[in-house]
Amino acid sequence: MEEKKASANEYVIIKAKQDGVNVIGLTRGSDTRFHHSEKLDKGEVMIAQFTEHTSAIKVRGEALIKTAYGDIESERKNSHIDK
Ligand code: TRP
């Protein structure tokens, strides 16, 4: 069986469950900062990779996130109040 390299060009799929979900790319290296923010409306999908420039991805808002490690849902703060 072929061995899986860590972060070997794997894709992360993010599907927004509400308007205004932010998918934020954070830089690789000693300086960790935002380098890109993509806004998704409900139902929109972004397919992204970890790259030479991107070591982490932050999702703000309610979304379904599918990765090679499993699926997870991000939630929004105070979702019980502003629904
Ligand atoms: N130019 C960025 C890069 O190559 C584009 C990118 C890739 C990105 N993955 C991302 C932006 C995830 C936001 C989130 O790294």
Side-chain angles (χ1 to χ4, degrees):
M1 220 217 284
E2 205 179 301
E3 208 178 299
K4 217 179 204 181
K5 251 192 268 163
S7 76
N9 306 111
E10 269 162 19
Y11 288 88
V12 174
I13 301 174
I14 301 115
K15 181 176 183 181
K17 290 173 64 186
Q18 66 168 131
D19 286 346
V21 168
N22 276 298
V23 179
I24 299 157
L26 289 93
T27 55
R28 189 176 296 282
S30 52
D31 176 29
T32 306
R33 59 180 168 76
F34 289 13
H35 66 73
H36 186 93
S37 179
E38 196 68 38
K39 200 158 248 179
L40 304 181
D41 283 334
K42 189 173 179 174
E44 289 185 327
V45 171
M46 181 165 168
I47 303 163
Q49 281 175 301
F50 290 98
T51 69
E52 183 191 345
H53 305 292
T54 305
S55 67
I57 298 170
K58 174 174 174 173
V59 178
R60 291 200 85 201
E62 249 181 85
L64 176 63
I65 302 158
K66 296 179 79 74
T67 76
Y69 306 99
D71 303 348
I72 193 162
E73 285 185 19
S74 56
E75 294 163 32
R76 63 187 151 149
K77 203 176 160 191
N78 297 330
S79 60
H80 59 293
I81 295 169
D82 60 12
K83 208 144 208 171

